[in-house]
Amino acid sequence: MKIVVIGGGAGGASFAARMRRLDEKAQITILEKTAETSIASCGLPYFIGDVIDDRDNMQVATPAFMKKLFNIDIHLNSEVVQINPSAKEVVTAQGEKFAYDKLVLATGAAPFVPAISGLDNLPHFVVKSLSDADKIKAFIAEKMPRNAVVVGGGFIGVEVAENLCHLGLHTSLVEMSAQVLAPLDEDMVAQIHHEMKSKGLNLYLSDGLKEVVPDSVVLNSGQKVEADMVILAIGVRSDTALAKSAGIALTERGAIITNEFMQTNIEDIYACGDSVAVKDFVSAQRVMVALAGPANRQGRLIADHIAGNNSYPYTATQGTGIVKVFDMTAAFTGNNEKQLQKAGIAYEKMVIIANSHAGYYPNAQNLTLKVLYTQEGKILGAQAVGKEGVDKRIDVIATVMRLNGTTADLRDAELCYAPPYSGAKDPVNLVGMAIENVCQDLVKPYFGTSFSDMVVLDVRPENVYAKEHIDGAINIPAVQIRSRLNELPKNKPIMVHCFKGYTSYVVARILMQSGFDNVLSYAGGWTFYKTLQKA
């Protein structure tokens, strides 16, 4: 059997290696249009920043290694320009023809570079390949630029901006929307904005790149930002022109449509990776998700299907991801509020702030955890931000989601505990318990920053209240609340807040059992409220 793979990235290489393990006799050929295959693309920002200092570590599997271990032929600099499904062959730019019995499209996505006036006035780069990173590193080493502008606040843009800061460059990040990292909700990304600014990164939100002039860039707002170099990380587009020309069905946004076994509408042609439209795990809508994990799994599935193992389909993509931002980490899975609203899915939410490990063990850090769910307890998405333990909590919730667990399963999850790693009640358990309290009408959470027409009750100690508090807030420390109930009106909503949200819940229970009918507890407390304020 002759198998041709177009594209040697995560999906293509994963498929080829799995296919060889299943079929020793198959003739497997990878055609890669660049000079690179199977590189650690997600590590490029850290290679640029010299965090990864050995270039060889960026090459996951060289063509020589793939040939020696797997007997897979990789042709570099071989761009396929034509697919002939009727003849079952592909043609490269050099005129070479490769016949196939099965064809796998793993063409990925290409950086999106819009038309920008004067772009050639400054050295500018994209970050897609190892050679792109080489060019950036060489430019920095040779020209020693002082000012860098990164355009785009997605994963790559944020990571590149951080690494340029680490190299000592005065770095600015420009993002067209009101926030970086679109998978996070506005309330969760606020901490990331604070972190970026505190580390000296200039952040220009709700602004775009209008023009490039010598020594600076001009934003849509008219503001000028000094620049010696520009890195464009605006986003990617599915690289599917080749598929379209072959008659393969695409979505309106240009992604390849496949069935649950990654088969296209043309017989014996499969597709995987960033160029494919997948089913969203929550909304069931067709979406494009550019993540290495799903691409690898899709490649493996295609190999199994070709080998005759049809027992498992590709079900859906959750969109689970994580990103380091200086000393902070942000992670997420499932849908955020914007996605749920767009899909018309009704949801509830809960935010808690917990210790990353046992509070009595040194150096515990705040961890903010947000879960979106239905009234029936179905988990729709989760986000976490903190300095420690973020990955663990989102991985646990992502797994519960994948197994169709509920918020009650978060409450009941039996997770490992020792003081350096967690508390006896892990943050995952705590958020499940907090949701249960809401479902049992034991508390009404509040998430806003406007407190008009309500009494704000600050139950922190007096000396803490004296240092800073919400304007107009009444201070009655929690330990005094039972003896001072007469100071509170019963004809107005009372919004209670403490440091992180637990004590305000306790006080809310006291009030609700003492004749106060309209009581709310601020989710995440003063700590969360502060993150929502502008830096």
Side-chain angles (χ1 to χ4, degrees):
M1 179 167 51
K2 293 181 180 180
I3 302 173
V4 173
V5 184
I6 303 177
S14 177
F15 160 79
R18 174 68 171 176
M19 192 70 235
R20 174 58 72 222
R21 294 193 294 270
L22 298 177
D23 188 342
E24 179 61 25
K25 296 181 179 180
Q27 180 182 323
I28 305 172
T29 303
I30 296 177
L31 302 177
E32 169 57 46
K33 68 179 179 180
T34 72
E36 305 164 6
T37 184
S38 196
I39 65 164
S41 300
C42 296
L44 292 174
Y46 303 101
F47 178 58
I48 291 170
D50 290 337
V51 177
I52 300 172
D53 56 8
D54 188 343
R55 190 180 189 278
D56 290 342
N57 289 337
M58 296 298 297
Q59 190 79 48
V60 177
T62 64
F65 172 84
M66 295 290 281
K67 178 64 177 177
K68 187 173 182 180
L69 183 62
F70 295 110
N71 191 28
I72 293 170
D73 293 318
I74 298 179
H75 297 253
L76 300 178
N77 300 307
S78 294
E79 181 180 6
V80 175
V81 294
Q82 187 176 0
I83 300 171
N84 297 321
S86 58
K88 284 198 167 184
E89 68 176 12
V90 301
V91 182
T92 69
Q94 293 83 8
E96 293 182 280
K97 295 182 179 179
F98 293 84
Y100 68 83
D101 297 304
K102 303 289 183 182
L103 176 65
V104 178
L105 303 181
T107 49
F112 173 63
V113 180
I116 299 171
S117 176
L119 186 58
D120 290 335
N121 282 322
L122 284 176
H124 55 279
F125 310 87
V126 296
V127 184
K128 172 64 175 175
S129 65
L130 191 52
S131 61
D132 292 331
D134 288 335
K135 293 173 185 176
I136 294 170
K137 287 172 70 71
F139 176 80
I140 293 172
E142 295 170 11
K143 303 299 182 181
M144 293 184 289
R146 292 181 299 172
N147 301 299
V149 171
V150 179
V151 185
F155 289 107
I156 294 296
V158 167
E159 290 170 341
V160 168
E162 174 189 342
N163 279 278
L164 293 178
C165 286
H166 285 327
L167 292 176
L169 277 73
H170 186 259
T171 306
S172 301
L173 189 149
V174 180
E175 168 55 43
M176 184 75 75
S177 71
Q179 67 170 80
V180 301
L181 301 175
L184 293 177
D185 284 318
E186 183 180 356
D187 53 0
M188 295 296 286
V189 81
Q191 296 179 67
I192 299 301
H193 291 165
H194 282 279
E195 176 71 5
M196 297 169 90
K197 293 175 183 178
S198 72
K199 293 300 192 293
L201 178 65
N202 297 311
L203 201 54
Y204 297 90
L205 300 175
S206 301
D207 215 340
L209 186 59
K210 179 181 180 181
E211 183 182 8
V212 177
V213 297
D215 301 324
S216 62
V217 302
V218 181
L219 306 184
N220 291 337
S221 62
Q223 190 164 0
K224 264 191 172 185
V225 180
E226 288 187 79
D228 302 309
M229 62 184 296
V230 177
I231 293 184
L232 301 169
I234 298 171
V236 296
R237 298 289 185 272
S238 297
D239 190 356
T240 56
L242 180 64
K244 182 178 181 179
S245 67
I248 293 172
L250 307 178
T251 67
E252 290 182 0
R253 299 189 64 183
I256 297 172
I257 297 173
T258 68
N259 65 9
E260 68 271 28
F261 296 109
M262 310 311 296
Q263 295 170 294
T264 70
N265 61 305
I266 296 182
E267 188 176 3
D268 294 324
I269 299 181
Y270 296 76
C272 63
D274 295 352
S275 61
V276 170
V278 294
K279 183 173 76 171
D280 182 85
F281 186 80
V282 175
S283 70
Q285 296 177 348
R286 280 195 179 124
V287 294
M288 176 187 161
V289 181
L291 291 172
N296 275 279
R297 292 194 298 276
Q298 292 161 13
R300 177 186 175 90
L301 185 153
I302 293 172
D304 280 17
H305 193 264
I306 290 175
N309 177 8
N310 302 337
S311 61
Y312 71 100
Y314 188 81
T315 51
T317 297
Q318 285 173 244
T320 306
I322 190 167
V323 59
K324 175 184 176 296
V325 187
F326 295 98
D327 294 332
M328 300 287 285
T329 300
F332 43 85
T333 189
N335 281 193
N336 59 29
E337 291 195 59
K338 296 184 290 290
Q339 291 170 310
L340 293 173
Q341 291 164 7
K342 184 176 180 180
I345 298 174
Y347 65 92
E348 306 291 335
K349 63 182 175 181
M350 177 51 66
V351 175
I352 68 165
I353 293 183
N355 289 323
S356 58
H357 60 247
Y360 60 84
Y361 188 86
N363 302 318
Q365 304 286 338
N366 282 337
L367 184 148
T368 306
L369 181 58
K370 178 177 184 177
V371 173
L372 304 172
Y373 62 98
T374 67
Q375 290 183 340
E376 296 76 27
K378 180 181 179 180
I379 304 169
L380 302 173
Q383 302 163 40
V385 176
K387 293 186 177 182
E388 177 186 87
V390 170
D391 52 342
K392 168 183 174 178
R393 276 70 191 206
I394 291 300
D395 280 344
V396 168
I397 297 175
T399 302
V400 173
M401 282 184 65
R402 175 60 66 171
L403 299 176
N404 294 313
T406 67
T407 55
D409 292 306
L410 303 183
R411 175 200 65 199
D412 295 338
E414 189 173 332
L415 307 175
C416 56
Y417 158 57
Y421 303 103
S422 181
K425 296 176 183 176
D426 189 86
V428 170
N429 302 133
L430 291 174
V431 77
M433 293 173 183
I435 291 170
E436 180 181 57
N437 289 336
V438 174
C439 293
Q440 293 180 353
D441 293 325
L442 295 176
V443 67
K444 295 178 182 178
Y446 188 71
F447 304 96
T449 55
S450 175
F451 311 106
S452 59
D453 299 324
M454 64 175 63
V455 175
V456 178
L457 176 58
D458 187 331
V459 296
R460 299 175 301 161
E462 293 172 349
N463 63 320
V464 177
Y465 169 86
K467 291 180 180 178
E468 55 179 357
H469 57 264
I470 296 171
D471 289 344
I474 298 172
N475 179 227
I476 303 178
V479 294
Q480 301 176 20
I481 196 68
R482 288 183 178 88
S483 63
R484 297 176 62 180
L485 291 175
N486 62 320
E487 299 178 29
L488 297 170
K490 291 187 176 181
N491 61 345
K492 287 186 177 182
I494 298 176
M495 195 284 291
V496 190
H497 85 81
C498 59
F499 284 109
K500 298 182 181 180
Y502 174 72
T503 305
S504 64
Y505 160 61
V506 173
V507 171
R509 291 302 304 145
I510 294 171
L511 295 178
M512 292 171 71
Q513 296 176 83
S514 301
F516 294 85
D517 297 326
N518 198 348
V519 182
L520 302 98
S521 175
Y522 199 92
W526 176 263
T527 304
F528 190 58
Y529 171 78
K530 284 287 289 183
T531 68
L532 303 180
Q533 308 307 299
K534 292 183 178 180

